[in-house]
């Protein structure tokens, strides 16, 4: 499509979408992930502040949707404002809020919930009329909830969760992201902590965060977006969450996903659009054209498949056009599966 990619639903893609207009003009609301998109390790990612300011000035509503359950919406909004991205608590949607609503739908008002995580979980539970507690030995314990608690979360907290879960107390997790990006690199996320309790108990938690429906439901309820664009750095949470919700997505290459992973993406992990960073909100997206012989062309670059490898030829002013052409060739070849072609030489030619 030439004026916005349209809802991708559950069909996946065999090439990136196109838009003649800037994405900030096509979509009314950007549903932005935070870690790896807006900031990393507490510092703003290059170009993020300026790009978001321009998108907002142009009339786009900005909402911040994060699987990180550690901080409260007030704290997140204050941090964003300090970075130069003005935000209020109502602009922030967290997996803590999503899991708190999920628990509240299944336990009585005032029920006690064992919290393994940070203040974001406690505030979200109180907002839903639930009582956060610290011990598995509390009388009348109705649920256990686990969310990212930061690098200083004591090991004993996982044991506390295990004691309750092992005796049958319902177990919930805000999200299961295995990693989280930071200033020094990629660190273990809440999913790694969830695995500790899973190994100890053999149980399975109910999960609320991206890419699962409770998080999408929470986001829709809180933002009222009519034509949203999900913006993220993770294929298995942000992009899959958009796919599950039937809305379009923009992958930015500032976080955990690299080009090789993008090319190997299964259909539910294929974004509508791809950009180097949040400046992609302020621009259109060129069309990837399928030519004769299985070639895919974009902006002066042409990608084909030869001898079990992706081949990239030509040149252009924007190496992202080369990435888009490669996506067309890789995703078309893979169909409903993951692309297993050798992409090393083609990706290296782009300097990624």
């Amino acid at each position: 499509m030439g004026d916005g990619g349209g809802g991708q639903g559950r069909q996946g893609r065999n090439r990136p979408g196109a838009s003649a207009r800037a994405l900030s003009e096509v979509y009314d609301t950007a549903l932005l992930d935070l870690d790896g998109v807006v900031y990393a390790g507490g510092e703003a990612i290059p170009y993020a502040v300026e790009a978001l300011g321009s998108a907002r000035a142009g009339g786009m509503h900005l909402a911040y949707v994060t699987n990180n359950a550690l901080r409260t919406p007030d704290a997140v909004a204050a941090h964003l404002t300090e970075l130069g991205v003005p935000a209020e608590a109502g602009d922030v949607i967290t997996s803590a809020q999503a899991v708190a609503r999920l628990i509240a739908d299944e336990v009585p008002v005032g029920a006690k919930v064992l919290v393994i995580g940070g203040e974001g979980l406690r505030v979200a539970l109180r907002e839903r009329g639930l009582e956060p507690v610290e011990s598995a030995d509390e009388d009348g314990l109705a649920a256990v909830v686990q969310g990212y608690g930061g690098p200083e979360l004591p090991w004993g907290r996982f044991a506390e969760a295990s004691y309750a879960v092992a005796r049958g107390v319902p177990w919930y997790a805000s999200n299961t992201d295995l990693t989280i990006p930071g200033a020094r690199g990629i660190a273990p996320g809440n999913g790694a902590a969830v695995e500790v309790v899973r190994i100890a108990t053999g149980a399975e938690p109910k999960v609320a965060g991206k890419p699962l429906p409770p998080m999408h439901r929470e986001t829709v309820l809180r933002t009222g977006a009519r034509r949203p664009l999900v913006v993220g750095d993770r294929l298995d949470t942000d992009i899959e969450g958009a796919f599950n919700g039937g809305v379009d997505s923009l992958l930015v290459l500032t976080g955990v996903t690299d080009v090789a992973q993008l090319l190997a993406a299964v259909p539910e992990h294929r974004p509508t659009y791809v950009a180097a960073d949040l400046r992609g909100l302020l621009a259109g997206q060129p069309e990837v054209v399928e030519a004769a012989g299985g070639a895919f062309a974009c902006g002066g670059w042409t990608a084909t498949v030869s001898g079990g490898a992706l081949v990239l030829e030509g040149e252009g002013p924007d190496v992202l056009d080369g990435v888009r052409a490669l996506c067309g060739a890789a995703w078309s070849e893979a169909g409903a599966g993951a692309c297993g072609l050798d992409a090393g030489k083609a990706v290296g030619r782009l300097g990624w």
Side-chain angles (χ1 to χ4, degrees), residues 95 99 144-147 171-176 190 194 205-209:
S95 63
V99 77
V144 178
V145 64
Q146 193 170 357
W171 179 29
Y172 299 82
S174 63
N175 67 297
T176 53
N190 191 55
V194 167
K206 291 185 178 181
V207 183

Side-chain angles (χ1 to χ4, degrees), residues 92 118 147 172 243 261 282 318 324:
V92 179
Y172 299 82
F243 175 88
Q261 292 167 328
L282 309 178
D318 187 351
R324 296 178 183 111

Side-chain angles (χ1 to χ4, degrees), residues 25 130 242 312:
E25 298 174 2
L130 302 172
L312 186 65

Side-chain angles (χ1 to χ4, degrees), residues 5-8 11-18 243 248 267-268 270-273 331-332 335:
Q8 63 183 337
Q11 302 306 310
R13 294 184 168 273
N14 68 357
R15 75 189 80 172
F243 175 88
D248 287 352
E268 61 268 29
R270 296 171 188 169
T272 316
Y273 311 109
W331 297 351
S332 179

